[in-house]
Every structure is written in structure tokens, then in C-alpha cells.
Amino acid sequence: MGGSTGDQNGPIETTDRARASEQGATWTKRPTRRAEVPTVEPRPPDPPRPTHGTHLTVDLTVRTALVVLCSAASVWLFLQLWQILLVLLVALTFVGMLNPFVERLEARRIRRPYATALVFGGLFVVAGGAGAATLPGLVRQVTDLVTHFPEAQARLASQLAASKLTAPIAGWVGGLQLASVTERAKEFGLLYAPRAIEIIAYGASALFLALYLVLDRDRMRGAVFSLVPRNYHVRLSRVLMNLEVIVGGYMRGQLITSALMAIFTFVVLTVAGVEHAAALALFAGAADVLPYIGALLACGPAFLAALSRGPTVAIVVLVLLAAYQELESRVIVPRIYGQVLRLPPAAVMLALLIGGKLLGILGALLALPIAAGIRMFIEEMRIALPGEEVDDTALRAKDAEAEAEFEVRSAGVSALDAATIAAEIAEDRRAEDEELIGGPDRKEEAALVPMTSGKPRDPGDE
């Protein structure tokens, strides 16, 4: 390496020495300059990490904070007003049930206030007539039972003691005191009387609210449509129209199941020779509307009335009615409501269980129309489910056509007039679906076809 350095610096040193001799100076060799190497300071060690706890920093924007506050306020408001919301929901159910009758009367050139008065007046007359035909017979049954309780008790105890199977309970029946039974009944009545009065008051409020909603339908509809963007008005009209069909189908299903229960009870009690069979059958049909406790209310009075014919007859009546209740809940209800609400039988059973768990009897009553309404809303709003792939290009094209027609016709009009126009377009689309399905006699099936679908769905695809 040294030789190489000398070879490179030799000519330079010779030239410098010669130049110095010519000038009469002494030449001194300059030291060789070495490249400077930068000094790297050692990196300080990292501070020790904490061995406990985790620090999480969350940056909240003003919008996020407002969303959180509004959500919390909405939950609090719902918890405070959920009973009022239930009253509104029941009132809307009454509206969906009674409004079609009002519109039919309007089609016969009867003004809406008079048509509403006729429909609601007829409802009160029917309810009052059913009560007048049922309650007196029940009161007489209870009075006869209390009056002849000692004789019936002794006869029942002796008949139970005659059989080895029922002998163990004969002593309990013979020792039962009427005073203790009536005392417990009074305590039960006093305990639940305030709650019963509250339920009756809420029911009356829902009925009168439904009356006002039917009377002032146009303005209420305009108020609702004013809160929704115009491009959703046609679809909202279709949703409201389908809700009316769903509620009508649900009430028709209730009438069918109640009528079947009343007919079966009347036949059983008539064959058993029980007095006031018609009144007891009407009460059983009315009680059948109520989930869970409807079976007890339907079977209990019939069983007590059948005790006058002997314990054997009473037990047979109770077994038959209980068996029918089981058949109704497992077979009849899923099939009837599955057809009128277009829900699978498993969905009917699941909706009843969820509604009963959340809100008891009222929840079970409202579970089926709510479930059917949710399914219809998903279809109408074209909400794509995660596991479903459907080519709805034609549907969306016809949706766009209906919305374009609505945009032209509703330009510059108020929300009230826009709601009327949207309802007319939805009715026209349903008329087209009726023609595709098979005529106006199948109007309900046409109403449940997704808006402007262009073709009916095969029931086998459900």
C-alpha cells in the first residue's frame, strides 16, 4: 500500500522541489491530509415500559360527541315513553283493521266522517252485544257454583275417593273451604285491579286515538310524508299500503282461530250437557285471542261449569279443550298466520316466543304483524341481505320509472298533495300486479308483491 502511495505522489513532489530551487527557497514536504471520520454518539437506552395497565387515547370530535349524546337521550326517552309508544302501535293496528271498511263506505259516496262513525259505532255495538251475550251467563255460572259449592264439593270428594287413582286428592278436595278460596280471590283482585284498570285505560286511549287518526287521515299522512325525502314517497306509500294488508290479514287470522275455538267449545259443552254452552263458547273464543293466559281463561270456566255434570265429565271436557289448545298453538296458528302474513311456521312460533318474552301478552299479540312488517320493509326498501344475491335490475328500473313519474307530477306541490299523488301511483302499481296475478279478487296477494316487481312470486318459493 505504501508503494502505491509513493507512486501517486512522486511527480507532484518533484515538481514542487524544482520550483523551490528556482526561487532559491528550501522545500519542505507537506503532511498528507487524512479524511475526517464523523463521530457517532451512542444511542441512549429506551425508557422502561410500564409493566401494568394500558394507556388508550381516544380523540372525540364534536360530531361524535353529539351522536353519542343523542343516542343516549333517545334510549332514555324510549324507556320513559315506551308505554305511550305501545298505545300508538295498538292504535295503528286498529287503524289498519278499520280503515279498509271506512274506504269501502267512501267508495259508496258516504262522506268520511259519517263512514268513520258507522264503522266505529258498529265495532262498539258488536263488542257490547258479545259482552251482553257472554257476561250474564258467566255470572250465573259463578253464582250457581258458589251457592251449590258444599254439595258439589261433597259429591266430587266421594267420587274421587271411590277410585284408587284419585283417592289421594279426595281428602284435599273435601277439606277445601269456600271462605279461603273467596278470600284469596279477593286478595288477587285487589292486587291486580290497578294494573287491570291501567290496561283498560290504555286500550280505550288507543281506540280513541285510532278514531282521530282515521278521521284526520290526510293531514296525518301529509305530516308523515313531510319528514321523508321526496324520492322515497312512492315507496313509503307502498309500505303503508302493505302494512294495512298485513294488519287486515292478522285480524282475519285472529277471527278464524277464535271462531274455531268457540265452535269446538260449544260442541263439547253441548255434548256434555252443560248449561249456558253458547255463552261459555263465546267467552272461550274471545279469550283465545290472548296468548298464554287465553288457554286458562277458555278452559277454566268450561271446566267449572262441567263440574255440575260430575267430575268425570268435567275432566273429559278439560282434557278435550286442553288438547285442542295444544293443536291450535302447534298446527293451526302457524299455518293460518303463515298463509295470511306470508311467514314460515317456524318464524311464526319464534316471533310469538320473542314477543311474549319481551312484552308479555301484549308483545305476543303484536309480534306477528311486526315480524311480517319487518320482512315487507326489507323487500320494499331493496335491502340486500348478506347471504342473498338477487338480480333486481328490472325492479330497480321500474322503481326509477315510478319515481320519475312522481317527480313530474309532484313538482311544486305541498307535502299533503305529494302524499296523495304517491298513494295514487302505488295504487296503480297494485292494479297492475292484480292483473298479473289473476284479477282483483286476489288484491292482497298483489299488495304483498314488491313494488313494481312486474311479476308475482311463486308461493312455493317461500
Side-chain angles (χ1 to χ4, degrees), residues 264-275:
F264 183 80
T265 304
F266 177 76
V267 171
V268 170
L269 295 180
T270 302
V271 173
V274 179
E275 297 180 355

Side-chain angles (χ1 to χ4, degrees), residues 234-244 376-377 380-381:
V234 177
R235 206 165 293 179
L236 177 60
S237 296
R238 179 72 180 188
V239 168
L240 295 178
M241 182 175 61
N242 284 349
L243 285 177
E244 187 174 290
M376 177 272 300
F377 183 81
E380 290 294 339
M381 299 307 294

Side-chain angles (χ1 to χ4, degrees), residues 41 69 112 134 174 249 350 356 387 449:
E41 297 181 359
L69 290 177
R112 189 169 187 84
T134 304
L350 186 61
V449 174

